[in-house]
Amino acid sequence: NAIMAAQPGDFVLSRTNAPLMTICLRLLRAGIRARIQGRDTGKALTDLIDRCAPRGAVLVEDLLEGLVSYHTAEQRKLIKLKVSDAAFQALEDKVDTLIALADGLKHISEMKDRIATLFADTGPAQVVCSTVHKSKGLQSDQVWLLTGSFWSQGLEDDNLFYIAITRTQKVLNLVNFPVKKKRREE
């Protein structure tokens, strides 16, 4: 995978968080320092863990069962409210992100530790995995752009793609990293 050539100081950009988790974990396993941009996202994920985990649960498998219940209930609410596909995609992104974070872990406390480490905004030079929204105003010499995370659904996606390509100062790498877009279930 081309993305494994990323070096500390590079950006990996995506429209959504979920693919960033997978990439960040792969980079870390390969011995490449990496983190995910945005402490507030880390806090939101930790809060979601607390909300979805059954009372007294310590195992990731229990959390994932609670996450399925949360997902189903939230989908029903969104269908009743007749919201846009963007709201459904945001829900899917949160759920998929937690599933990616759970990869290889047994205890919920390990997930929270992983989140704290991955979303730390300080430390030595690292590959910075970020959504385009979180990268606004930032630049790097080399950017790896996950093209599959953009869906060309109108002006908003076009604007986000423009912002993404302007984050690079020297080299822009377009990476066809498959990102599945889920549709609402009605």
Side-chain angles (χ1 to χ4, degrees):
N1 183 320
I3 202 100
M4 297 310 286
Q7 295 296 310
D10 291 358
F11 286 174
V12 175
L13 300 179
S14 172
R15 187 181 194 288
T16 59
N17 275 307
L20 296 172
M21 298 299 160
T22 301
I23 289 170
C24 190
L25 292 172
R26 283 184 190 172
L27 290 167
L28 291 169
R29 286 185 195 118
I32 300 167
R33 289 189 309 273
R35 69 174 170 84
I36 298 169
Q37 180 74 14
R39 266 190 240 159
D40 57 335
T41 302
K43 181 176 177 352
L45 290 170
T46 301
D47 291 347
L48 185 56
I49 287 171
D50 291 338
R51 201 154 101 213
C52 291
R55 187 181 294 291
V58 295
L59 298 177
V60 167
E61 65 187 63
D62 296 329
L63 167 65
L64 294 177
E65 287 177 20
L67 188 59
V68 169
S69 298
Y70 165 81
H71 181 254
T72 302
E74 289 299 306
Q75 272 191 330
R76 286 185 183 133
K77 284 182 200 174
L78 294 174
I79 289 169
K80 272 187 184 175
L81 295 172
K82 298 182 181 184
V83 298
S84 69
D85 279 345
F88 282 89
Q89 189 58 43
L91 172 64
E92 297 300 328
D93 189 37
K94 285 191 278 186
V95 170
D96 289 347
T97 298
L98 281 184
I99 291 168
L101 282 166
D103 184 41
L105 301 179
K106 185 174 181 174
H107 296 97
I108 294 171
S109 61
E110 293 173 297
M111 276 186 75
K112 290 181 177 183
D113 290 345
R114 180 177 273 177
I115 290 169
T117 300
L118 291 177
F119 287 92
D121 285 340
T122 59
Q126 301 164 321
V127 174
V128 177
C129 300
S130 176
T131 62
V132 176
H133 285 288
K134 296 276 183 200
S135 73
K136 288 180 186 174
L138 304 175
Q139 289 192 310
S140 176
D141 284 346
Q142 182 159 237
V143 172
W144 303 80
L145 181 60
L146 306 182
T147 58
S149 67
F150 294 87
W151 302 294
S152 297
Q153 289 189 320
L155 189 58
E156 181 184 0
D157 266 5
D158 292 346
N159 290 340
L160 282 173
F161 192 80
Y162 174 78
I163 291 166
I165 63 174
T166 60
R167 299 307 90 210
T168 188
Q169 293 180 311
K170 293 182 181 175
V171 179
L172 175 63
N173 302 285
L174 301 177
V175 180
N176 187 13
F177 188 83
V179 177
K180 46 182 184 167
K181 182 178 181 209
K182 296 179 182 174
R183 295 266 177 202
R184 67 166 89 186
E185 297 170 18
E186 296 187 53

